[in-house]
Amino acid sequence: MKLLVLDSSGMVASVAIMTEDALIGEYTMNHKKTHSQTLLPMLDEVVKMTETDLETIDAIAIAKGPGSFTGLRIGSATAKGLGMALGKPIVSVPTIDAIAYNLFESDKVICPIMDARRSNVYTGTYEWKDGTFSVIEEQCARSIAETIEAINAICRPVIFLGDAVPLHKELILANISVPVSFAPPHLLRQRAGAVGSLAMEYYKAGIVESAREHGPDYLKKSQAEREREERNAN
């Protein structure tokens, strides 16, 4: 099985080619450029460097959200276009699940936090049980304060990761009541390799969709939509 993997759900852009046995190539960038500038050139470079014929891939894996509205739209449009052109299915992986999957067989509760603005985060909680990745609480959007309360209620050691860690680390340390640690930089943010590894499990279980069916999962309304609703309500 061979997958083309895309993740443009946050500041990081990441592309990979992988099989069940190997991460053949991965290109990850976390720099001040838009995904419209980076994603397709990165994809082209990975395909060339790994000498991959895209006709030979079995599916396209994509981080479906939540995350940056613009980034998700760019990633989704790229996956849909390639899927339709190549006649390949899409494997949609929840962004927060994929971030958590960076930490293989951790003995701690895994809590990704992704910046959702206004002191809110996209988050969820996960664990490894008997070698199996398990969801304790599915991905959701809520305040960082509510997230800390939820972790304290679990009463188990926790490890945080995600792009919101630098923003909220001091607040977490000041209010957490359980043993806490933070992932190192190379595991802190999105990676196509983690998306692809989890997508392999989805693919084996038959959790795929057609390119026409695929769409991003924003998880909450955009600021523009919220402001429009407020104006209409008034």
Side-chain angles (χ1 to χ4, degrees):
M1 187 194 311
K2 183 183 289 185
L3 297 179
L4 168 65
V5 191
L6 307 171
D7 190 336
S8 58
S9 57
M11 288 294 293
V12 171
S14 192
V15 180
I17 302 288
M18 63 188 305
T19 66
E20 292 175 88
D21 302 316
L23 177 58
I24 299 171
E26 183 184 60
Y27 190 163
T28 299
M29 286 290 295
N30 180 25
H31 194 58
K32 299 176 183 179
K33 290 189 176 182
T34 65
H35 296 318
S36 60
Q37 294 175 295
T38 59
L39 196 62
L40 286 176
M42 289 168 63
L43 169 60
D44 185 58
E45 187 68 18
V46 167
V47 168
K48 286 180 179 178
M49 291 296 291
T50 61
E51 300 179 334
T52 298
D53 179 355
L54 288 179
E55 294 288 349
T56 67
I57 66 171
D58 294 287
I60 300 164
I62 178 77
K64 70 174 182 178
S68 157
F69 285 73
T70 301
L72 290 175
R73 284 193 288 268
I74 291 170
S76 178
T78 302
K80 284 175 73 73
L82 287 170
M84 293 175 71
L86 298 169
K88 305 295 181 179
I90 305 292
V91 185
S92 295
V93 177
T95 300
I96 305 303
D97 293 29
I99 296 173
Y101 210 70
N102 276 327
L103 303 180
F104 181 72
E105 292 222 8
S106 173
D107 59 351
K108 301 177 176 63
V109 171
I110 302 169
C111 184
I113 51 174
M114 190 175 178
D115 185 28
R117 308 290 177 86
R118 298 182 177 182
S119 296
N120 293 312
V121 293
Y122 298 117
T123 188
T125 48
Y126 306 83
E127 64 180 346
W128 286 88
K129 294 180 65 175
D130 301 321
T132 301
F133 181 70
S134 302
V135 179
I136 300 174
E137 181 185 22
E138 292 186 356
Q139 61 179 23
C140 62
R142 64 183 173 206
S143 71
I144 184 62
E146 290 172 319
T147 299
I148 295 170
E149 287 179 9
I151 292 297
N152 286 339
I154 296 175
C155 298
R156 290 172 54 190
V158 62
I159 182 166
F160 285 95
L161 70 166
D163 63 18
V165 166
L167 299 175
H168 301 302
K169 187 173 183 178
E170 290 185 8
L171 183 67
I172 291 170
L173 290 172
N175 293 277
I176 202 78
S177 62
V178 298
V180 61
S181 54
F182 301 91
H186 70 291
L187 298 175
L188 191 66
R189 303 190 182 214
Q190 291 94 326
R191 287 188 60 183
V195 176
S197 296
L198 192 50
M200 289 285 182
E201 301 303 316
Y202 279 47
Y203 188 89
K204 292 174 188 176
I207 306 173
V208 300
E209 59 189 348
S210 70
R212 291 187 182 277
E213 292 172 323
H214 170 70
D217 181 6
Y218 298 115
L219 207 59
K220 72 172 190 174
K221 296 176 181 178
S222 69
Q223 182 175 345
E225 289 175 306
R226 294 195 303 271
E227 290 176 352
R228 184 171 63 249
E229 289 179 355
E230 289 172 5
R231 287 196 301 270
N232 292 339
N234 295 328

